[in-house]
């Protein structure tokens, strides 16, 4: 194991340890709330990134999250199912929908696919806000989504989701599971095939890869996690309204990935974290928030076209050079 | 069903369709030569409406002059924006998309800080109604339809007959080949971007007296313009016109017979259907 690997593992474990002890450092519900939003955004960004590894841009990610949120909330509220069954069900629901939509639309590329997903996202929100109001609750959505049911885990007392702290740990565990799963996927044979599709459809097809199959697969996996994020959102924040999953939310998720750096696995995670905190800090300034955010987007794209992660990589290289010089 | 009501609905649909077409033409023109999906396009429409409000309510300049002034002002603004923000990413879909979103946010909020969020109305220039086969139609709306048709035809002539139009078509066809033939890509791109923005501003000026003006009005026409260019085929001018007429008709009749949400849904379903059978849109080519 070389030194670089060592430092990397150290940083990752340090970050996870830090995230684990945060509730001990601050019990301010506001801080935990911001962190939960941040974790949700990480799940969304990294799952959208999976879709982007096959070279497709989706503007329907928030819509798949909405499908997950409504599925989970309705299963619990109308059918009385426990959260622990409703959550995977919501992921599966989003995945099935993605399978159907993806098989139809993934023939399209670039701007065309982007705009079709945009249209699909609008349809989903339109249906949730205007149709079957007795079920979906119309524009005001579903109010009073119950928190997850208490759960018994061996060796620790029963966990009851009455405060923000257990909800935070739930979000953290789900985020870690998602990130780890996608990391394993990326390094698997399947992940390599996805990457090959991004490099060139035609080339991949020539060496015998069924591009449609793999694109649908990536789309389905990405939307599965968006559905899970939706379920987590619904049960953590009590209220589900259609406007939360509008086209703009999808745009934000895309921005996290691109500003973070889409070429690297850590990019989306970094982008979601930095931008969530950034917009939280800007919130104090009222309307100037959007200006600051807008200008930041433009500046990052102009000066760091491969995302914030490239800045980080550059700094790491500089530091390593510095160390070498000191040694030499 | 009452015939006059049908006629009235058709005429109203035609007016909205025309406005959306003018917005969509600018968007599709920019996409066809720069491969940029410009999310700040709705802001250009909004700025047009704003210019109309300032010039007509505060300075009382004649309306046709305002139309020309707004197109020049927003057109020049578009040229500046293209030079500084889009030129580095020409042909790259994703970074240009993010930049246009950043621009949209910044322009919208800057406007909001100077203008406030209140709806402002712009007084009409063509008061009165005319009776067309029993249906009442305001002169203003008729003037809008006619002006839009003039714009569409002039744009068609510009693209098909003029030298600069020829250069635009050449770049849309093949950028490298056009450059090899001596087409100045930078200049044509900045002209086209300015032209696209000016068209959006013109639509904003024209419709301002019918609706109202506030910093958020750009969102809806942008959405409609997207639907139109997907429907008609991205980068196709004819497609934008046909797409706009289809959307305007479907929406106004959908609203009459069904409901507003149902008619919106209908628009999106048509898109999905068209794309299933012809992925490049009605008039697009791969």
């Amino acid at each position: 194991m070389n030194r670089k690997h060592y430092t990397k593992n150290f940083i990752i474990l340090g970050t996870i340890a830090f995230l684990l002890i945060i509730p001990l450092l601050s019990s301010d519900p506001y801080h935990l709330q911001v962190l939960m939003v941040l974790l949700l955004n990480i799940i969304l960004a990294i799952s959208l990134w999976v879709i982007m590894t096959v070279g497709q841009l989706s503007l329907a990610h928030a819509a798949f999250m909405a499908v997950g949120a409504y599925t989970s909330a309705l299963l619990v509220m109308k059918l009385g199912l426990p959260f622990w069954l409703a959550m995977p069900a919501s992921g599966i629901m989003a995945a099935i929908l993605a399978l159907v939509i993806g098989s139809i639309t993934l023939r399209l590329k670039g701007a065309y696919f982007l705009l079709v997903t945009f249209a699909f996202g609008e349809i989903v929100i339109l249906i949730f806000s205007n149709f079957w109001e007795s079920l979906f609750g119309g524009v005001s959505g579903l109010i009073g989504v119950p928190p997850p049911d208490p759960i018994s885990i061996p060796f620790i007392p029963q966990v009851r989701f009455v405060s923000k702290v257990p909800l935070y740990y739930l979000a953290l565990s789900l985020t870690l599971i998602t990130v780890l799963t996608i990391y394993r996927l990326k390094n698997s044979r399947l992940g390599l095939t996805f990457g090959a599709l991004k490099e060139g459809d035609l080339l991949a097809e020539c060496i015998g890869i069924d591009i449609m199959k793999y694109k649908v697969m990536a789309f389905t996996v990405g939307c599965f996690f968006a559905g899970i994020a939706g379920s987590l959102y619904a049960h953590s924040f009590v209220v589900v309204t259609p406007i939360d999953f509008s086209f703009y939310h999808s745009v934000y998720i895309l921005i996290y990935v691109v500003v973070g750096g889409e070429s690297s696995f850590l990019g989306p995670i970094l982008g979601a974290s930095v931008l969530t905190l950034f917009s939280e800090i800007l919130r104090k300034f009222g309307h100037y928030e959007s200006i600051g955010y807008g200008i930041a987007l433009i500046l990052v794209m102009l000066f760091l076209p491969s995302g914030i992660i490239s800045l980080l990589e550059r700094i790491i290289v500089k530091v390593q050079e510095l160390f070498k010089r000191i040694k030499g | 069903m009452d015939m006059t009501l049908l006629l009235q609905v058709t005429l109203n649909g035609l007016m909205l369709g025309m406005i959306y077409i003018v917005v969509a033409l600018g968007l599709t023109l920019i996409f066809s030569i720069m491969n940029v999906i410009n999310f700040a396009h709705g802001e250009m429409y909004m700025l047009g409406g704003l210019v109309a409000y300032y010039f007509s309510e505060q300075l009382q300049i004649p309306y046709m002059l305002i139309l020309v002034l707004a197109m020049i002002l927003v057109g020049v603004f578009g040229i500046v924006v293209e030079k500084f923000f889009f030129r580095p990413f020409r042909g790259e879909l994703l970074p240009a998309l993010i930049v246009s979103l950043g621009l949209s946010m910044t322009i919208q909020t800057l406007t909001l800080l100077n203008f406030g969020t209140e709806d402002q109305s712009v007084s009409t220039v063509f008061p009165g109604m005319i009776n067309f086969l029993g249906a009442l139609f305001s002169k203003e709306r008729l003037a809008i339809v006619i002006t839009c048709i003039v714009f569409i035809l002039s744009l068609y002539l510009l693209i098909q007959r003029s030298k600069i139009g020829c250069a635009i078509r050449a770049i849309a066809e093949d950028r490298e080949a056009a450059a090899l033939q001596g087409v100045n890509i930078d200049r044509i791109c900045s002209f086209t971007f300015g032209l696209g923005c000016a068209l959006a501003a013109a639509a904003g000026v024209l419709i301002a007296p019918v609706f109202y003006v506030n910093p958020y009005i750009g969102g809806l026409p942008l959405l409609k313009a997207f639907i139109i260019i997907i429907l008609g085929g991205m980068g196709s001018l004819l497609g934008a016109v046909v797409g706009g007429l289809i959307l305007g008709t479907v929406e106004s009749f959908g609203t009459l017979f069904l409901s507003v949400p149902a008619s919106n849904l209908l628009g999106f379903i048509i898109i999905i259907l068209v794309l299933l059978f012809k992925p490049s849109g009605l008039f697009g080519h791969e």
Side-chain angles (χ1 to χ4, degrees):
Chain A
M1 187 178 276
N2 59 26
R3 188 192 197 98
K4 195 182 162 197
H5 227 95
Y6 209 69
T7 346
K8 205 173 159 189
N9 284 348
F10 184 75
I11 293 172
I12 291 169
L13 286 177
T15 315
I16 293 174
F18 177 65
L19 286 169
L20 278 172
I21 59 161
I22 277 181
L24 303 177
L25 302 176
S26 160
S27 54
D28 188 345
Y30 167 73
H31 290 162
L32 288 183
Q33 170 107 358
V34 171
L35 282 172
M36 279 161 65
V37 172
L38 188 150
L39 292 170
L40 265 170
N41 286 341
I42 290 180
I43 300 182
L44 290 164
I46 198 73
S47 57
L48 178 64
W49 179 79
V50 175
I51 301 172
M52 288 168 73
T53 56
V54 295
Q56 301 285 33
L57 292 174
S58 168
L59 279 183
H61 219 54
F64 283 101
M65 181 188 175
V67 169
Y70 275 88
T71 306
S72 184
L74 288 175
L75 283 179
V76 171
M77 290 165 80
K78 303 265 168 176
L79 297 181
L81 241 63
F83 166 78
W84 306 101
L85 279 179
M87 181 183 61
S90 64
I92 292 168
M93 186 72 175
I96 292 173
L97 194 63
L99 187 69
V100 175
I101 298 295
S103 320
I104 301 169
T105 56
L106 279 161
R107 283 180 300 152
L108 304 167
K109 285 179 207 156
Y112 292 91
F113 183 74
L114 186 86
L115 289 178
V116 173
T117 52
F118 151 76
F120 174 74
E122 291 294 309
I123 291 184
V124 169
I125 301 313
L126 212 66
I127 290 176
F128 282 139
S129 23
N130 296 296
F131 293 83
W132 298 291
E133 267 184 51
S134 56
L135 188 62
F136 296 138
V139 182
S140 48
L142 304 170
I143 298 154
V145 182
D149 307 276
I151 186 173
S152 306
I153 302 170
F155 309 118
I156 54 170
Q158 192 189 43
V159 182
R160 302 208 287 131
F161 293 88
V162 282
S163 77
K164 284 260 180 272
V165 179
L167 282 172
Y168 168 76
Y169 280 118
L170 174 68
L172 184 60
S173 341
L174 281 177
T175 310
L176 289 177
I177 292 171
T178 308
V179 169
L180 202 68
T181 313
I182 292 177
Y183 182 73
R184 293 298 298 262
L185 177 76
K186 174 188 91 101
N187 289 333
S188 69
R189 204 185 158 77
L190 191 63
L192 290 176
T193 317
F194 286 170
L197 294 187
K198 188 178 185 176
E199 292 304 317
D201 274 10
L202 222 63
L203 192 67
E205 204 166 21
C206 285
I207 57 169
I209 296 174
D210 181 353
I211 50 171
M212 205 43 202
K213 188 175 103 188
Y214 286 101
K215 281 188 174 178
V216 172
M217 223 184 262
F219 192 59
T220 310
V221 170
C223 292
F224 172 82
F225 286 111
I228 296 281
S231 167
L232 180 63
Y233 176 90
H235 295 275
S236 304
F237 298 119
V238 185
V239 180
V240 176
T241 49
I243 197 80
D244 295 333
F245 311 103
S246 70
F247 151 71
Y248 285 99
H249 198 147
S250 294
V251 165
Y252 274 99
I253 304 170
L254 183 64
I255 288 174
Y256 298 146
V257 180
V258 180
V259 168
E262 56 151 339
S263 53
S264 136
F265 175 76
L266 284 177
I269 300 175
L270 192 69
S273 314
V274 171
L275 288 178
T276 310
L277 294 178
F278 184 59
S279 73
E280 224 29 72
I281 293 166
L282 285 178
R283 182 147 299 169
K284 283 185 226 130
F285 302 101
H287 289 314
Y288 291 98
E289 182 198 347
S290 331
I291 298 186
Y293 204 89
I295 293 176
L297 289 185
I298 298 171
L299 290 180
V300 168
M301 283 296 105
L302 283 176
F303 298 108
L304 291 170
S306 352
I308 312 178
I309 193 91
S310 65
L311 182 72
L312 211 66
E313 279 162 1
R314 252 185 268 171
I315 292 175
I316 290 173
V317 170
K318 281 270 157 65
V319 170
Q320 277 173 345
E321 275 174 12
L322 201 72
F323 269 115
K324 261 182 205 161
R325 210 173 295 163
I326 292 167
K327 265 187 192 167
Chain B
M1 181 57 68
D2 195 354
M3 265 317 283
T4 54
L5 183 63
L6 276 184
L7 195 63
Q8 203 143 348
V9 170
T10 316
L11 288 174
N12 278 327
L14 187 67
M15 179 202 66
L16 273 182
M18 282 297 168
I19 289 291
Y20 295 151
I21 288 171
V22 173
V23 177
L25 280 174
L27 199 63
T28 206
L29 204 57
I30 292 170
F31 177 79
S32 72
I33 70 161
M34 297 173 66
N35 201 23
V36 167
I37 303 178
N38 182 17
F39 275 85
H41 201 66
E43 273 27 271
M44 303 300 167
Y45 167 95
M46 180 267 288
L47 289 177
L50 216 63
V51 170
Y53 167 71
Y54 269 116
F55 283 178
S56 83
E57 301 301 301
Q58 319 276 353
L59 304 173
Q60 266 126 33
I61 296 175
Y63 215 73
M64 280 300 145
L65 192 62
I66 294 178
L67 184 63
V68 177
L69 273 176
M71 286 180 75
I72 293 173
L73 285 175
V74 178
V76 170
F77 178 63
I79 288 174
V80 174
V81 162
E82 193 275 337
K83 184 163 168 51
F84 289 105
F85 300 117
F86 288 105
R87 194 162 291 180
F89 308 112
R90 199 172 294 150
E92 290 176 74
L93 190 67
L94 195 52
L97 181 84
I98 304 288
V99 168
S100 76
L101 286 164
L103 273 172
S104 163
M105 280 179 198
T106 315
I107 297 173
Q108 194 180 69
T109 323
L110 282 177
T111 319
L112 190 122
L113 290 171
N114 291 306
F115 185 80
T117 48
E118 301 241 325
D119 293 345
Q120 303 288 354
S121 53
V122 177
S123 48
T124 174
V125 259
F126 298 106
M129 309 286 259
I130 52 162
N131 194 325
F132 182 72
L133 297 177
L136 280 179
F137 198 60
S138 74
K139 281 183 185 162
E140 181 185 47
R141 293 181 179 216
L142 197 66
I144 292 174
V145 172
I146 293 170
T147 321
C148 286
I149 292 176
V150 170
F151 273 125
I152 294 166
L153 290 179
S154 334
L155 185 71
Y156 175 80
L157 287 178
L158 178 80
I159 299 290
Q160 294 297 332
R161 295 290 153 84
S162 74
K163 203 170 170 200
I164 200 160
C166 186
I168 292 175
R169 278 182 291 140
I171 296 178
E173 198 75 39
D174 188 331
R175 183 198 305 269
E176 271 81 39
L180 285 174
Q181 301 296 318
V183 175
N184 185 337
I185 307 264
D186 282 349
R187 192 177 298 165
I188 301 294
C189 280
S190 90
F191 171 79
T192 312
F193 202 91
L195 179 65
C197 294
L199 282 172
V205 174
L206 287 174
I207 203 78
V210 179
F211 299 140
Y212 46 82
V213 181
N214 72 35
Y216 299 115
I217 52 170
L220 190 70
L222 182 71
L223 194 78
K224 303 292 179 193
F226 276 155
I227 299 175
I228 290 171
I229 65 173
I230 309 174
L231 199 58
M234 298 186 63
S236 158
L237 297 182
L238 179 64
V241 174
V242 175
L245 290 175
I246 294 176
L247 188 74
T249 318
V250 165
E251 289 205 341
S252 45
F253 280 96
T255 312
L256 180 67
F257 291 115
L258 304 162
S259 64
V260 176
S263 78
N264 285 331
L265 195 63
L266 213 56
F268 287 112
I269 290 172
I270 291 177
I271 291 188
I272 303 253
L273 286 179
V274 166
L275 287 173
L276 276 181
F277 295 106
K278 195 159 183 318
S280 49
L282 291 173
F283 293 91
H285 47 84
E286 296 280 316

